[in-house]
Amino acid sequence: MKHIVQIIPALGYGGAERFVVDLVNHSDSEKYRFTVIVFFDNIPLKALISKKVEVILVEKKSKLDFGFLNRLEKKLAELKPDLVHGHLFAGDFWGRLAAHRLGVSYLSTEHNLNYDDGWLKNLVKRIVSSPSDSYTACSLAVSDYMRAVYKIKQDIMVINYGLDLERFVNLPSADWQEPLRFLMVGRLVRQKSQITALQALNNLKDYPWHLTIVGEGIEKNNLQAFVQKNNLQDRIEFVEPLTGVEQYYLQADVFLMPSLWEGLGIVVMEAMSSGRLVLA
């Protein structure tokens, strides 16, 4: 049985985090054993992980935590993995360094078009990459991005996200009664551009509609300020993220995805599987 250690900064409500949970839960348990290492105690999705999978916190105490790499390397040495699988910038960077120092095979999965990362992170990605590493991408667009920005010359296997269809395909159809019910699900950050949808809906005040926004993030205060300024409080509801998001697809007619860019939006796949109309 192969032991694979997944390394990701946290297990919050995000697409990459959901990918890791689904991957360890649905892989062949007779062939693979998994351990998940996180750096921060933000792990609401841990509740969804199989009891056979151990989630270990190797705490990163600050940006300048100089002993962190040694602690991560020590933990990996104890676990003795056959493969280390890294996700997101921090998980990929630190996981790659620790795996290289131990001589363990390393797999990097890219989940997004990282336009917000800036030149320094892009340079770091190029420097730490190794010819011995393996790469996967969630979409062809992400694969092309990796080659153009990170200068990856190795083969990049494109593996689209899987989806637990049983969670969505049996939901009742949308009822299309007034008011029309819109839904957005995702991190409240610049990339997701929820403000674009709010601006559009603000021009449709003469029509009956209601919007539910499920998510958290640094743009929440700005979005709430827009709602307040334009007297949309009775029409727009902000909801904390949760694991059972199906209940919100059930209540929606139309799913909105105004993102400026996406690697491969899992929530769009969920909405389509739920039989909801998607505007993206």
Side-chain angles (χ1 to χ4, degrees):
M1 180 181 291
K2 298 294 185 181
H3 182 198
I4 302 173
V5 173
Q6 306 285 342
I7 299 185
I8 191 165
L11 283 174
Y13 297 104
E17 293 83 354
R18 184 78 215 197
F19 166 84
V20 170
V21 171
D22 286 343
L23 178 64
V24 301
N25 282 347
H26 294 282
S27 293
D28 189 338
S29 61
E30 294 185 0
K31 293 182 179 179
Y32 306 104
R33 177 169 71 91
F34 290 98
T35 303
V36 178
I37 290 180
V38 297
F39 304 157
F40 305 103
D41 193 19
N42 173 24
I43 51 174
L45 292 190
K46 179 184 177 182
L48 301 180
I49 290 183
S50 166
K51 293 180 180 179
K52 296 179 181 179
V53 178
E54 184 179 11
V55 178
I56 297 173
L57 173 64
V58 179
E59 187 177 9
K60 192 171 187 296
K61 299 175 182 178
S62 67
K63 288 186 177 181
L64 298 177
D65 184 353
F66 295 107
F68 175 70
L69 179 58
N70 287 333
R71 295 197 302 276
L72 180 60
E73 183 180 345
K74 181 179 178 181
K75 178 54 66 177
L76 282 178
E78 293 174 5
L79 294 172
K80 299 179 180 178
D82 297 287
L83 176 71
V84 173
H85 187 180
H87 309 269
L88 304 179
F89 180 82
D92 186 63
F93 175 76
W94 294 107
R96 190 190 302 261
L97 291 183
H100 286 178
R101 285 169 58 159
L102 292 170
V104 178
S105 297
Y106 185 80
L107 170 64
S108 173
T109 290
E110 198 64 58
H111 298 272
N112 205 350
L113 306 171
N114 300 313
Y115 294 136
D116 274 345
D117 274 359
W119 68 269
L120 182 57
K121 283 188 175 181
N122 292 340
L123 178 61
V124 168
K125 282 256 194 178
R126 295 179 202 171
I127 292 174
V128 300
S129 64
S130 167
S132 64
D133 296 337
S134 299
Y135 295 88
T136 68
C138 65
S139 67
L140 183 59
V142 171
S143 173
D144 291 343
Y145 179 88
M146 293 166 69
R147 294 194 185 283
V149 178
Y150 304 142
K151 309 303 180 185
I152 304 300
K153 293 182 172 56
Q154 298 96 305
D155 289 339
I156 301 173
M157 182 169 289
V158 175
I159 305 175
N160 300 137
Y161 292 137
L163 201 64
D164 186 358
L165 291 175
E166 292 302 315
R167 297 173 55 210
F168 307 103
V169 296
N170 296 316
L171 295 179
S173 301
D175 56 23
W176 295 96
Q177 297 179 9
E178 293 185 351
L180 193 63
R181 300 170 302 173
F182 293 105
L183 172 67
M184 288 193 287
V185 178
R187 294 175 294 120
L188 306 184
V189 295
R190 186 179 79 90
Q191 175 191 347
K192 304 299 182 180
S193 195
Q194 287 92 356
I195 190 64
T196 299
L198 297 190
Q199 291 167 343
L201 290 171
N202 189 48
N203 291 325
L204 298 174
K205 286 182 177 177
D206 292 339
Y207 298 89
W209 57 263
H210 182 272
L211 169 65
T212 300
I213 301 175
V214 181
E216 275 291 342
I218 59 175
E219 288 295 317
K220 186 172 185 177
N221 289 341
N222 292 335
L223 297 173
Q224 290 178 324
F226 181 92
V227 169
Q228 190 82 18
K229 178 181 177 181
N230 292 282
N231 298 313
L232 296 171
Q233 301 93 316
D234 293 337
R235 293 190 172 209
I236 297 178
E237 175 187 13
F238 289 86
V239 177
E240 299 287 320
L242 75 174
T243 55
V245 73
E246 300 94 315
Q247 63 182 284
Y248 293 107
Y249 292 116
L250 174 62
Q251 298 167 11
D253 300 305
V254 180
F255 186 84
L256 303 178
M257 190 69 165
S259 298
L260 301 176
W261 66 86
E262 284 289 338
L264 180 65
I266 288 181
V267 289
V268 166
M269 298 164 61
E270 293 178 348
M272 293 168 67
S273 300
S274 302
R276 270 51 191 172
L277 180 68
V278 174
L279 294 179

